[in-house]
Short mmCIF file of all heavy atoms in Angstrom, two decimals:
data_model
loop_
_atom_site.label_atom_id
_atom_site.label_comp_id
_atom_site.label_asym_id
_atom_site.label_seq_id
_atom_site.Cartn_x
_atom_site.Cartn_y
_atom_site.Cartn_z
N HIS Y 14 -79.01 -10.36 -232.39
CA HIS Y 14 -80.30 -10.58 -231.73
C HIS Y 14 -81.15 -11.49 -232.59
O HIS Y 14 -80.75 -11.88 -233.69
CB HIS Y 14 -81.01 -9.25 -231.43
CG HIS Y 14 -81.56 -8.55 -232.64
ND1 HIS Y 14 -82.52 -7.59 -232.57
CD2 HIS Y 14 -81.29 -8.65 -233.97
CE1 HIS Y 14 -82.82 -7.13 -233.77
NE2 HIS Y 14 -82.08 -7.77 -234.63
N ARG Y 15 -82.29 -11.82 -232.07
CA ARG Y 15 -83.33 -12.48 -232.85
C ARG Y 15 -84.66 -12.00 -232.34
O ARG Y 15 -84.79 -11.67 -231.15
CB ARG Y 15 -83.22 -14.01 -232.80
CG ARG Y 15 -83.69 -14.65 -231.51
CD ARG Y 15 -83.52 -16.17 -231.51
NE ARG Y 15 -84.44 -16.86 -232.38
CZ ARG Y 15 -85.60 -17.39 -231.97
NH1 ARG Y 15 -85.96 -17.32 -230.71
NH2 ARG Y 15 -86.38 -17.99 -232.82
N ILE Y 16 -85.61 -11.92 -233.21
CA ILE Y 16 -86.97 -11.52 -232.85
C ILE Y 16 -87.81 -12.79 -232.90
O ILE Y 16 -88.21 -13.25 -233.96
CB ILE Y 16 -87.52 -10.44 -233.82
CG1 ILE Y 16 -86.53 -9.29 -233.99
CG2 ILE Y 16 -88.88 -9.95 -233.35
CD1 ILE Y 16 -86.20 -8.53 -232.74
N SER Y 17 -88.01 -13.40 -231.74
CA SER Y 17 -88.63 -14.74 -231.69
C SER Y 17 -89.99 -14.83 -232.35
O SER Y 17 -90.32 -15.86 -232.90
CB SER Y 17 -88.78 -15.26 -230.26
OG SER Y 17 -88.22 -14.51 -229.29
N ASN Y 18 -90.77 -13.76 -232.26
CA ASN Y 18 -92.13 -13.83 -232.80
C ASN Y 18 -92.22 -13.30 -234.23
O ASN Y 18 -93.31 -13.09 -234.75
CB ASN Y 18 -93.10 -13.06 -231.89
CG ASN Y 18 -92.75 -11.58 -231.77
OD1 ASN Y 18 -91.84 -11.09 -232.43
ND2 ASN Y 18 -93.46 -10.88 -230.91
N VAL Y 71 -78.58 -10.33 -227.83
CA VAL Y 71 -79.70 -9.79 -227.08
C VAL Y 71 -80.94 -10.63 -227.40
O VAL Y 71 -81.31 -10.77 -228.58
CB VAL Y 71 -79.95 -8.31 -227.43
CG1 VAL Y 71 -81.09 -7.74 -226.58
CG2 VAL Y 71 -78.67 -7.50 -227.21
N LEU Y 72 -81.54 -11.17 -226.35
CA LEU Y 72 -82.68 -12.05 -226.51
C LEU Y 72 -83.79 -11.70 -225.53
O LEU Y 72 -83.52 -11.25 -224.41
CB LEU Y 72 -82.28 -13.50 -226.25
CG LEU Y 72 -81.23 -14.13 -227.16
CD1 LEU Y 72 -80.82 -15.49 -226.63
CD2 LEU Y 72 -81.78 -14.25 -228.58
N LYS Y 73 -85.03 -11.95 -225.96
CA LYS Y 73 -86.15 -11.86 -225.04
C LYS Y 73 -86.11 -13.09 -224.15
O LYS Y 73 -85.87 -14.21 -224.62
CB LYS Y 73 -87.47 -11.82 -225.80
CG LYS Y 73 -88.68 -11.82 -224.88
CD LYS Y 73 -89.98 -11.83 -225.63
CE LYS Y 73 -91.14 -11.81 -224.65
NZ LYS Y 73 -92.43 -11.83 -225.35
N ARG Y 74 -86.34 -12.90 -222.86
CA ARG Y 74 -86.35 -14.03 -221.94
C ARG Y 74 -87.68 -14.78 -222.12
O ARG Y 74 -88.73 -14.33 -221.69
CB ARG Y 74 -86.20 -13.56 -220.49
CG ARG Y 74 -86.02 -14.72 -219.52
CD ARG Y 74 -85.82 -14.26 -218.09
NE ARG Y 74 -84.67 -13.40 -217.91
CZ ARG Y 74 -83.40 -13.81 -217.82
NH1 ARG Y 74 -83.12 -15.10 -217.93
NH2 ARG Y 74 -82.43 -12.95 -217.63
N ASN Y 75 -87.59 -15.91 -222.80
CA ASN Y 75 -88.73 -16.81 -222.95
C ASN Y 75 -88.21 -18.23 -223.05
O ASN Y 75 -87.00 -18.46 -223.13
CB ASN Y 75 -89.60 -16.42 -224.17
CG ASN Y 75 -88.87 -16.48 -225.50
OD1 ASN Y 75 -87.92 -17.24 -225.67
ND2 ASN Y 75 -89.30 -15.68 -226.45
N ASN Y 78 -86.03 -19.08 -226.24
CA ASN Y 78 -84.68 -18.51 -226.25
C ASN Y 78 -83.81 -19.08 -225.14
O ASN Y 78 -82.60 -19.25 -225.33
CB ASN Y 78 -84.76 -16.98 -226.13
CG ASN Y 78 -85.21 -16.34 -227.41
OD1 ASN Y 78 -85.07 -16.91 -228.49
ND2 ASN Y 78 -85.80 -15.16 -227.30
N PHE Y 90 -77.47 -10.77 -223.27
CA PHE Y 90 -78.22 -9.78 -222.51
C PHE Y 90 -79.70 -10.11 -222.68
O PHE Y 90 -80.21 -10.12 -223.79
CB PHE Y 90 -77.92 -8.36 -222.99
CG PHE Y 90 -78.66 -7.32 -222.22
CD1 PHE Y 90 -78.28 -7.00 -220.93
CD2 PHE Y 90 -79.75 -6.67 -222.77
CE1 PHE Y 90 -78.97 -6.06 -220.19
CE2 PHE Y 90 -80.44 -5.72 -222.04
CZ PHE Y 90 -80.05 -5.41 -220.75
N TRP Y 91 -80.35 -10.42 -221.57
CA TRP Y 91 -81.75 -10.82 -221.59
C TRP Y 91 -82.64 -9.61 -221.39
O TRP Y 91 -82.40 -8.77 -220.52
CB TRP Y 91 -82.02 -11.84 -220.49
CG TRP Y 91 -81.30 -13.13 -220.70
CD1 TRP Y 91 -80.13 -13.53 -220.12
CD2 TRP Y 91 -81.69 -14.20 -221.56
NE1 TRP Y 91 -79.76 -14.77 -220.56
CE2 TRP Y 91 -80.71 -15.21 -221.44
CE3 TRP Y 91 -82.78 -14.40 -222.40
CZ2 TRP Y 91 -80.79 -16.40 -222.16
CZ3 TRP Y 91 -82.86 -15.59 -223.12
CH2 TRP Y 91 -81.87 -16.58 -222.98
N MET Y 92 -83.71 -9.54 -222.20
CA MET Y 92 -84.71 -8.49 -222.08
C MET Y 92 -86.07 -9.12 -221.82
O MET Y 92 -86.29 -10.29 -222.13
CB MET Y 92 -84.79 -7.65 -223.37
CG MET Y 92 -83.52 -6.89 -223.70
SD MET Y 92 -83.73 -5.80 -225.14
CE MET Y 92 -84.64 -4.46 -224.39
N GLU Y 93 -86.97 -8.33 -221.28
CA GLU Y 93 -88.33 -8.81 -221.05
C GLU Y 93 -89.19 -8.65 -222.31
O GLU Y 93 -90.33 -9.11 -222.33
CB GLU Y 93 -88.97 -8.07 -219.87
CG GLU Y 93 -88.24 -8.33 -218.55
CD GLU Y 93 -88.08 -9.82 -218.24
OE1 GLU Y 93 -89.07 -10.58 -218.34
OE2 GLU Y 93 -86.95 -10.23 -217.90
N PHE Y 94 -88.65 -8.00 -223.32
CA PHE Y 94 -89.35 -7.77 -224.58
C PHE Y 94 -88.48 -8.22 -225.73
O PHE Y 94 -87.28 -8.41 -225.58
CB PHE Y 94 -89.66 -6.27 -224.75
CG PHE Y 94 -90.47 -5.68 -223.64
CD1 PHE Y 94 -89.86 -4.97 -222.63
CD2 PHE Y 94 -91.85 -5.85 -223.60
CE1 PHE Y 94 -90.60 -4.42 -221.59
CE2 PHE Y 94 -92.60 -5.31 -222.58
CZ PHE Y 94 -91.98 -4.59 -221.57
N GLU Y 95 -89.08 -8.33 -226.91
CA GLU Y 95 -88.30 -8.63 -228.10
C GLU Y 95 -87.34 -7.46 -228.35
O GLU Y 95 -87.73 -6.29 -228.22
CB GLU Y 95 -89.22 -8.83 -229.31
CG GLU Y 95 -90.10 -10.06 -229.24
CD GLU Y 95 -89.34 -11.37 -229.27
OE1 GLU Y 95 -88.14 -11.40 -229.61
OE2 GLU Y 95 -89.99 -12.40 -228.98
N PRO Y 96 -86.09 -7.74 -228.72
CA PRO Y 96 -85.09 -6.68 -228.91
C PRO Y 96 -85.22 -5.96 -230.26
O PRO Y 96 -84.30 -5.94 -231.07
CB PRO Y 96 -83.77 -7.42 -228.77
CG PRO Y 96 -84.08 -8.82 -229.21
CD PRO Y 96 -85.49 -9.08 -228.79
N THR Y 97 -86.37 -5.37 -230.47
CA THR Y 97 -86.59 -4.55 -231.65
C THR Y 97 -85.89 -3.21 -231.45
O THR Y 97 -85.51 -2.85 -230.34
CB THR Y 97 -88.09 -4.31 -231.87
OG1 THR Y 97 -88.61 -3.63 -230.72
CG2 THR Y 97 -88.84 -5.62 -232.09
N GLU Y 99 -87.24 -0.41 -231.43
CA GLU Y 99 -88.08 0.39 -230.53
C GLU Y 99 -87.81 0.04 -229.06
O GLU Y 99 -87.68 0.94 -228.21
CB GLU Y 99 -89.57 0.15 -230.83
CG GLU Y 99 -90.01 0.61 -232.20
CD GLU Y 99 -89.87 -0.45 -233.30
OE1 GLU Y 99 -89.15 -1.46 -233.10
OE2 GLU Y 99 -90.49 -0.27 -234.36
N ARG Y 100 -87.71 -1.24 -228.75
CA ARG Y 100 -87.47 -1.66 -227.37
C ARG Y 100 -86.04 -1.33 -226.94
O ARG Y 100 -85.80 -0.98 -225.78
CB ARG Y 100 -87.74 -3.16 -227.20
CG ARG Y 100 -89.20 -3.52 -227.28
CD ARG Y 100 -89.98 -2.90 -226.18
NE ARG Y 100 -91.33 -3.44 -226.15
CZ ARG Y 100 -92.24 -3.10 -225.26
NH1 ARG Y 100 -91.98 -2.19 -224.35
NH2 ARG Y 100 -93.43 -3.64 -225.30
N LEU Y 101 -85.09 -1.46 -227.84
CA LEU Y 101 -83.71 -1.06 -227.52
C LEU Y 101 -83.65 0.43 -227.21
O LEU Y 101 -83.00 0.85 -226.24
CB LEU Y 101 -82.76 -1.43 -228.65
CG LEU Y 101 -82.54 -2.92 -228.90
CD1 LEU Y 101 -81.66 -3.12 -230.12
CD2 LEU Y 101 -81.95 -3.60 -227.69
N ASP Y 103 -86.05 2.30 -226.03
CA ASP Y 103 -86.70 2.54 -224.74
C ASP Y 103 -85.77 2.17 -223.59
O ASP Y 103 -85.66 2.90 -222.60
CB ASP Y 103 -88.01 1.75 -224.66
CG ASP Y 103 -88.85 2.16 -223.48
OD1 ASP Y 103 -89.05 3.38 -223.27
OD2 ASP Y 103 -89.32 1.26 -222.75
N TYR Y 104 -85.08 1.04 -223.72
CA TYR Y 104 -84.12 0.63 -222.68
C TYR Y 104 -82.98 1.64 -222.57
O TYR Y 104 -82.62 2.07 -221.47
CB TYR Y 104 -83.56 -0.76 -223.01
CG TYR Y 104 -82.51 -1.20 -222.02
CD1 TYR Y 104 -82.87 -1.84 -220.85
CD2 TYR Y 104 -81.16 -0.94 -222.25
CE1 TYR Y 104 -81.92 -2.22 -219.90
CE2 TYR Y 104 -80.20 -1.31 -221.32
CZ TYR Y 104 -80.58 -1.95 -220.16
OH TYR Y 104 -79.63 -2.31 -219.24
N LYS Y 107 -83.99 4.93 -220.83
CA LYS Y 107 -84.08 4.83 -219.37
C LYS Y 107 -82.70 4.83 -218.72
O LYS Y 107 -82.48 5.45 -217.68
CB LYS Y 107 -84.86 3.58 -218.98
CG LYS Y 107 -86.32 3.67 -219.34
CD LYS Y 107 -87.04 2.36 -219.10
CE LYS Y 107 -88.48 2.44 -219.57
NZ LYS Y 107 -89.16 1.14 -219.53
#
Side-chain angles (χ1 to χ4, degrees):
H14 72 161
R15 75 181 289 264
I16 310 298
S17 353
N18 61 5
V71 183
L72 298 172
K73 177 182 181 180
R74 188 178 301 281
N75 61 28
N78 286 336
F90 180 74
W91 295 99
M92 296 186 77
E93 297 307 312
F94 302 99
E95 293 294 347
T97 60
E99 296 89 343
R100 289 297 190 179
L101 293 175
D103 191 48
Y104 177 87
K107 291 173 185 172

